[in-house]
Amino acid sequence: MDVHRSRFVPYPASAISALAFSRSSDSGYTGPLPALKLAIGRANGNIEIWDPQKGLWVQEAILLGNNISIDALAWTQDPDEKDAEGHVLPGQQRLFSIASSAAITEWNLATGQPKRRSTGNFSEVWCFAAQPRWKPQKNSEEEARAQELIAGCGDGTIVLLSTTDDDLQFKRFLARVSGKKARCMCITYQNRDRVVAGFADSMIRIYDTRNGSLLRTMSLGVSIPGAPKSALVWQVKCLPNGDIVSGDSNGEVKFWDGRTYSLVQRISGHESDCLDLIVSSDGRTVMSGSIDGRMAIYRQSTGDQGRKSWARSSHRRVHSGEVKAMAAFDSKGMSVVVSGGSDLTPMVQPLREYGKENLRALPALPQQPPVASAPKARLVASWWEKSIYVWRITKQSTVDSVPEPQRPRKLVARIGLDTKDNIQSASLAFDGRLLAAATTTEVKVFQLRKRMELDALAVRKLAVPGDFATLGAHVIEFSPDGEWLAGATPEGEVHVVRITHDTENPKHLQVLSKAVELERQHRSVQPSSAFKAYERTVNRLTFAPDSSVLVAADRAGYLDSWILEGHEDPTAPAIDIAKHESKVGSSDAGSDSGSSSDSSDEDDSNIIFFGQHWTDNPAAHLLPKLDSQALVMTFRPSRLRQNGQSMVNGNPGIHSTRNNPHAHSHELPRGEHRLWVLTAKHEMFEFDVLAGRLSDWSRRNPTATLPDDISKIRDRVMGAVWDVEAQRQRLWLYGSSFVCMLNVGVDLADSGHPQALTKRRRKPKGDSEGYESDRKRRKLESGAGGKVASALRNGAPEIVKRHEEDGALTDVKLNGQEKLTQDSDNDDDEDDERMDLQLTRIRNGGNDSDALSAVAKSTGERQWWCTFKYRPILGMVPLEDDSDATDGGPLEVVLIERPVWDVQNQSS
Amino acid sequence: MVTTPDEVARKAGSKRKHESHEERSAKKARRSKEHQSSQSHTTDVERAYAKKRGRKQARRRTKHSTSIPSKADETDHEEQAEKQQASQEHGEAQPTSQRAAEKKARRIAERREKDGVIPDAPSTHVARTPHSTRSELAEERRPFPNWTLSAPSAGRFLDHDPTFVQDENGDEYLLAANEREVQLLSLESSLVVRTHPAPVGHLVVCLAVDEQQDNVVRVAYSDETISLWDWTIDEEVEGPLTANGAVRAMAHARTQRGERSALCYIVHSGGQDAIYGQQGLLHSTKQQLQDILVLGDAEYILARSQAALTIGVRKDGDRSKAHYTWFELPLAVASTCLDARLLLAPLSGKKGAKGRPGLRIAIGNEKGAIHLFDNVSSLFPQEGQRSLPPPRILHWHRDAVSSVKFSQDGNYLISGGNETVLVLWQLETGKKQYLPHLTSAIERVVVNSEGNRYAVQMGDNSIVVLNTSELKPVANFAGLQMLSPVEQSKEMVCHTPAATLHPQDPSQLLLGVPASQPKLASDIGVRPFLQTFDIRNSRHITRQALTRNNVTDLNLGPGGIPVLPPDVDLLAISVDGTWLATVDEWMPPASDVEHLASTGADVELQRQNRREVYLKFWTWDNDQALWTLTTRMDSPHARSNGDIMGPGKVLALVSDPSTKGFATIGEDSCIKLWRARKRTSQSAAPKGKSDGPVVEWECKREVQLVSDNERADSPMYAVKPSSSTSGSLAYSADGSMLAVAQASSGTDDIPVVHFLNTFNGDVVSKPGLAATEVTGLGCLDRYLIVVSHPAVYVWDIVTDTLKRKLKLRSPKELVGTGTTLLAINQGDSTFALVTSQLGNSKVKVYDTHQFKSQYEQSFDTPVECILADKGARGYTMLFADATIRTLLSSATPQARLESKAKTELPIAARQSLHANDAADGGRVELD
């Protein structure tokens, strides 16, 4: 494989400024638990939504902002409701942010756009907090109430806002503190009715939200010598028992009694400002982060005469810049602290298992690579904010051998989009003639042409049909033949347009004026989801290599697939709109597609482009829901080039007749269309999409056959590149820190028998390094990095040796957490089993299970390979030899890295 | 002796106290036969004790300056010995024998008068444990009646926590020990008040004070015995108990109800370490246990090894029997120190639920972190899951934490390490207070029972006691800070101590000392400091820096390589004691020049090219009581190979015995004579002291020695640049002649001794004065003593004949690299030779009459240095264990006078000598 290691892409990165978990703990939930999300706000206004997945940490979405730094984030959940049958419908989770303005913004998670801004005449909001969730009291028929928001402003006012009825309304001013330094720096709820606010005049004030009365004022007291007289209260937090913790600009962490509002203890936590604090759910651990990048942990202990006191347990420099924001989730299974600051990287630290598990740095680069390539034209495109950059990469051999070497790369086009929002997604056609870019509100398509005189590209904007252009898209994708452009709108719909040569000017391309919406299957959405619309948003689209199959995947893990009926017929009308009746007719004439097309009933028209028509995949309903969202979804290139495209003459179009005014072929695409999927949980499947079942290869190679070295990788996979030649079928996968190769042409495991595999799965104790034990081990972790080897543990031994009477030594395990964790994971195991069952069913549906071992004989090739040499990786895209040489050359890829030093230079 | 009412009261108090002691001994009596006998005349004993103690206290208080004999028994020993012992051990000005005799007589008379009969119990006790020094002395003295060897003084404090004790008046003392004896140090006077020597041939290992009655201290010796010493009456109250192995550490439990407190100790035997208690073996383990702590009512026993912490928890139930459950807590980083304290139970104790008190443990480790386990009681639940909350990590120290202690109230943690900073951790708030810039690395910190004083034992063999409120020193005890020979690393250059005696005050020893004693083999001992030590009183006088040093600064380079100060390896003092000359040398560490060198040998060359050598002249400043630098000569000598730049080594430095002047010889075979010169300033008056002229030093004469080969017209190819590796200088007594010898590495040349006329700079060279390379020279009267390896030659330089050839030892003994030290005492015309080999040394003293060995003595510890001084008779020896012994001659001073007359040769004779030498130049051959 030829790798162009590229570091020239100046992808801007931006510091973390806010962090929030959708809930801080599992306790207090009676019904089903809503999915846990983490929101990371950055200085460029972006909000990343992460799914912690019990420690797998997948970046699910980026809500693009407008370059105003997110100052704080808060989640609320609407009150639960009951449907007619008495099932509890969980309230929807809502995300709010503040960004250096006098407004609070609510975000539409599904579309990635701001939903609404708060109203009210108050000054710049500095901090805000959400009211604790309403908990039903015993013997109380009180109506469930929505959470309120409380905001502290720069002029010392405190504002109460209501989120009732899926709205955000100014409720009233709670208080107004006058004075020059009366800026409200931080605010938190002590309970549902009391708020604690820290001010820049080194005061902490307690208010009752019901009547707005000031209950108590607490002063930080005399500063340490040399410090300014008044300290800033950077953060206040409340312990579960009501006690208050504050962190101030002197680096001191103070503990206040929650009933008497008096100072209990002051601890010099840091040598510089303490910017943020978090509190564990049991209230016995506090962590603080400071401006010098250190984080300290405080624990409560019992001293002389049973007196409880806090003490700084240890500290560690976690960030190279300051620790701007911290968020904690502390529950039975997962217990982590996420922190972020100017060094871009979110750091996950264990909270309960602090010191016993490693901390982990999450990738700072987006999960969906903002990189695309046109392999044939040797173009690489990258985009951020509102611009797209296109480079041409010279072939390595020409750089070396030609007497006047060409420059290895050249920026051939820079396209600035005149859009309101930043670019969500972009796509390059395989031959490099087309470029499409999408924001959440617009889609733009450009034709790229080589300019003869200059080594640059001429960019021509194409007209895009109105609805397709204005709906915007989350993902946009060209088909490999460059004739189709599919886009997934923020609302979760999939639209396809046809691109063709302009009849008047053959050099020009045009987008046909009709876009077709492809209907997604109706699914019974999981009733317990608190992110209904969000989860059904399509975030992956992929075409089969022959452009005849389109698959869309959403965040919940559902797959939708459509197929292109008929053959391209240039003689047929470009757009032929068929009425509903013809649809019925077509289903009669079709082989077996009618059975499943009930979903498109209400559609009144079919649009046929050049005799071709997108229709539902008849086997679509057979494809199962994945266990999590698909991260990589790619069709396996067929080994033999299909020559169906060239059969225009051999397959004349079916012409319209009176009986059949919209005649077109109903022939389905032939051949196998194998879709290779890797989910967020790194479960590996390959589906035969048209048959609606697992492929033979996948049946022989379930996820368990993934080599340990690959399944051990914690970073999630970002993308895949195929390397298919006559002899080999290799899949190159990459994540932000790794590149690995899977030889999918042969079986991964030596013992390809599913029986053997199931045995291996069931065996409670496999070899210690085996896949299963790896999984188990990870389950026992609390969500950050792996266990720290006991030799490296800082004074917290795992076992203690006990001398028995006979002089023997026995090991006594300390801190028995394992039981708890296993218990809490049981439900999740069941989930897995259900999934397994479903898969086994389709596995057994295959009839050719005898041919299993025949193919598996590997020819001594490497089955897999893995490297951590390149990091952090922004993206890896394939290139093709532009010379006329046929295949046989090695795979050529451009690997775009963003070295840390580079990123930091840029950001500073 | 007049008895004041105050003393009466004190006596009464001591009597009361002694009664309790008697009860105890009654209990013990079953086990000890001797005690049965002593019990038989209880009343007598008691009375005797009480009176003696009263008297002693009175003496201590009234006559502080006079000595207090260390023994309880003052029975019939030779008066001479008594005097010797007293004067040497307790460091007072040597009394005349008459005064001592008078005093002694008076004392005995007093005793007879007051006690009537002297009880024999104490004397039996003495017979049981014969005490080293005295009997040793008696043995030693017999064959050499004219020579007396003093008992060792000075010494190095054990690496053991000193202990605070209080007498009944509330006066606080510190109990510390060196290998030879246990010392009672008075905080009031910073003096050693009383000592308790170890039995002959054995060393003190550790001590433990009984918490319940702190007048008794247990002392463990290297002979696997433990004895009980009552320091208030200076009495060994309980004979040596046999421990079950080599004792490593001891601790006493604090008991309630006035019971006899339980002793716990660690012994090492048979590859295993075991903890013994009053009831016998409690626990044995393969871990190498080092410290032991017994807490509460022997509720917990803690012992530390590097890799694990062993905790014994007493099982509930029968309190009389000690049953413990033992846990081993593995420590990931090697631990270096340990402290623990009990936490009081909650006040709101639930009915009857009298739980075990909590236990708080602090462990310091090698990497500089202190792990503080707030409460480990969750490790020992009755049932259920054992757990251990992670410790608090207090990390300030850069290097290993040497010592960590809880303050008495538990609110502070006090720690110290190599950084010379005492760190006080305020546990509640996390704030730290520092006491920086202590003189040396901290090794031990101890808090007294009232919590108002810290004793800090430091790496320079001193203990300073601090007041906790102001952190001001209360008392300071400093020993001899001589560089201890540890396992030597490659870069360590010179080990012969740079030491000299002050010519005006022979009791003052000037010694080049390190900032802190190197502890590990990787540490490099260099001596940037000068210590002035009073030999006679065994007291530290001053200490000052002679070179740059960074004791209190960050002394690590970027690569973690220690930044080393220069090493003072030569030291001489002028005749009148007003001028001090020092030579210090520094080379960059090998790791700093590795990148410049291609081969290993080249590294050494590169280091030598970057060598810094300074000859410094210091004058004594009476006002400040310090030596102040007057002149610094940069690179006093060149490199031996002329074409290589950089300063060369200075091989020897001697002081002119007649005038204020010094002579040096360097590796360039050059002799330089240094003289002071008054500066006459033409321009502005120099900014010196107004009361005297400014004096600066210059090289008055520079004599290049001609190599033997060149002189003998040898062919050119034989001439090779040889670099001298050692050189010796010796002035004649009147300073008119300087004898010079140098040894070169790798040449088999016949050694040549050069004679330099210091007046005109003429050189007469004489080969063949010794067979092998000359390692030392000395002039005594008309004789030149030439030290070479197997033999020492004594030449009469007037007649130019070999007077005597002294075989050092039989060739069989001289297998390894032995060293021979020479000291010459002009005062009594003797010279002493010390031959050291394989860890033991032999001293022989010769006189110029018969050249017969007048005195001979072997020592188990190597003699590092032997010094003689003009004013005094005899010699002073420094031993490797930092002890000092003096060898005094009581020979009639006539010999001295005679010899003096002989040395004063008339000028004419001297000139003829030189002429003679010059004439005979090449003729003298070796026999």
Side-chain angles (χ1 to χ4, degrees), chain A residues 314-326:
Chain A
S314 66
H315 75 268
R316 175 167 183 178
R317 193 176 161 134
V318 175
H319 289 273
S320 57
E322 90 258 359
V323 182
K324 183 77 198 299
M326 295 162 76

Side-chain angles (χ1 to χ4, degrees), chain A residues 318-353:
Chain A
V318 175
H319 289 273
S320 57
E322 90 258 359
V323 182
K324 183 77 198 299
M326 295 162 76
F329 178 77
D330 183 18
S331 204
K332 261 198 300 185
M334 210 170 96
S335 171
V336 290
V337 178
V338 184
S339 60
S342 56
D343 67 349
L344 315 176
T345 314
M347 298 297 276
V348 185
Q349 287 185 86
L351 180 59
R352 191 202 319 118
E353 302 287 302

Side-chain angles (χ1 to χ4, degrees), chain B residues 290-575:
Chain B
Q290 282 166 330
D291 295 345
I292 186 163
L293 280 173
V294 184
L295 288 159
D297 191 6
E299 195 82 40
Y300 295 104
I301 298 174
L302 279 88
R304 179 184 68 84
S305 69
Q306 280 209 341
L309 176 70
T310 304
I311 308 175
V313 190
R314 194 171 63 203
K315 287 178 186 162
D316 288 341
D318 190 2
R319 287 190 156 262
S320 63
K321 280 183 201 146
H323 282 301
Y324 289 86
T325 318
W326 293 92
F327 293 94
E328 240 170 55
L329 196 67
L331 303 172
V333 186
S335 69
T336 50
C337 50
L338 162 76
D339 197 25
R341 73 180 251 112
L342 284 184
L343 297 174
L344 301 173
L347 281 177
S348 56
K350 284 166 200 160
K351 23 98 190 172
K354 200 172 136 252
R356 191 169 268 137
L359 178 64
R360 182 172 281 186
I361 300 177
I363 303 168
N365 71 26
E366 234 177 33
K367 295 199 172 152
I370 299 167
H371 290 178
L372 176 65
F373 292 90
D374 271 321
N375 195 346
V376 297
S377 53
S378 60
L379 260 180
F380 328 112
Q382 299 287 28
E383 61 233 8
Q385 179 69 38
R386 295 177 196 278
S387 68
L388 182 67
R392 281 162 72 176
I393 297 165
L394 310 176
H395 203 152
W396 181 90
H397 292 281
R398 209 164 35 228
D399 292 345
V401 187
S402 306
S403 186
V404 61
K405 285 282 180 319
F406 284 104
S407 72
Q408 211 52 251
D409 59 1
N411 291 336
Y412 287 85
L413 201 63
I414 303 114
S415 70
N418 282 347
E419 297 83 4
T420 73
V421 181
L422 192 70
V423 186
L424 306 153
W425 305 83
Q426 202 177 342
L427 293 180
E428 189 83 344
T429 65
K431 287 204 164 62
K432 295 184 279 286
Q433 284 167 275
Y434 308 99
L435 181 66
H437 305 298
L438 295 177
T439 53
S440 177
I442 294 170
E443 288 191 336
R444 295 277 172 173
V445 179
V446 176
V447 187
N448 73 347
S449 58
E450 281 166 31
N452 60 357
R453 274 165 190 182
Y454 303 141
V456 182
Q457 184 172 339
M458 287 185 288
D460 60 357
N461 195 21
S462 71
I463 299 174
V464 64
V465 180
L466 300 167
N467 193 329
T468 53
S469 49
E470 299 127 21
L471 291 176
K472 291 268 167 58
V474 174
N476 188 14
F477 310 94
L480 191 67
Q481 298 169 355
M482 194 174 83
L483 182 64
S484 62
V486 286
E487 310 302 308
Q488 289 144 14
S489 67
K490 278 174 277 169
E491 293 188 38
M492 208 157 163
V493 250
C494 179
H495 310 297
T496 322
T500 183
L501 291 172
H502 196 285
Q504 300 307 107
D505 178 6
S507 66
Q508 274 190 30
L509 171 73
L510 284 83
L511 181 70
V513 294
S516 303
Q517 290 296 345
K519 269 190 268 183
L520 306 167
S522 57
D523 293 346
I524 298 156
V526 289
R527 299 155 294 180
F529 286 93
L530 174 78
Q531 188 192 17
T532 313
F533 193 79
D534 184 343
I535 302 172
R536 201 173 297 151
N537 297 320
S538 189
R539 284 192 69 186
H540 165 85
I541 301 170
T542 57
R543 183 170 116 124
Q544 74 171 95
L546 292 179
T547 72
R548 69 183 155 83
N549 64 77
N550 29 17
V551 180
T552 63
D553 294 344
L554 176 69
N555 50 8
L556 279 186
I561 309 146
V563 176
L564 285 180
D567 182 41
V568 175
D569 55 356
L570 296 170
L571 184 82
I573 190 161
S574 71
V575 234

Side-chain angles (χ1 to χ4, degrees), chain A residues 746-812:
Chain A
V746 297
D747 287 343
L748 293 173
D750 294 333
S751 56
H753 267 272
Q755 281 80 8
L757 285 168
T758 43
K759 241 184 220 165
R760 189 171 150 194
R761 280 208 148 191
R762 295 239 173 93
K763 219 191 277 178
K765 275 173 196 162
D767 50 325
S768 59
E769 283 301 303
Y771 166 81
E772 196 62 6
S773 64
D774 188 59
R775 280 190 112 199
K776 269 268 155 56
R777 206 164 56 221
R778 210 172 273 187
K779 253 179 209 163
L780 299 180
E781 289 163 5
S782 70
K787 291 252 187 254
V788 177
S790 63
L792 299 172
R793 280 192 192 177
N794 225 345
E798 209 172 358
I799 51 160
V800 62
K801 288 194 171 105
R802 182 193 159 127
H803 283 260
E804 300 300 331
E805 302 288 335
D806 54 354
L809 282 171
T810 49
D811 288 354
V812 181

Side-chain angles (χ1 to χ4, degrees), chain A residues 9 75 103 204 212 247 269 272 288 302 339 350 362 370 463 558 569 588 617 627 645 747 821:
Chain A
V9 177
W75 291 85
I204 298 169
S272 51
S288 69
T302 314
S339 60
L362 298 181
Y558 288 110
D569 180 7
D588 287 342
N617 175 15
D627 60 342
Q645 304 295 330
D747 287 343
T821 327

Side-chain angles (χ1 to χ4, degrees), chain A residues 19-21 39 72-76 94-98 105 128-130 149:
Chain A
L19 284 163
F21 272 105
L73 289 163
W75 291 85
T76 64
R94 298 163 69 185
L95 176 65
F96 300 88
S97 77
I98 55 171
T105 310
F128 80 133
L149 291 179

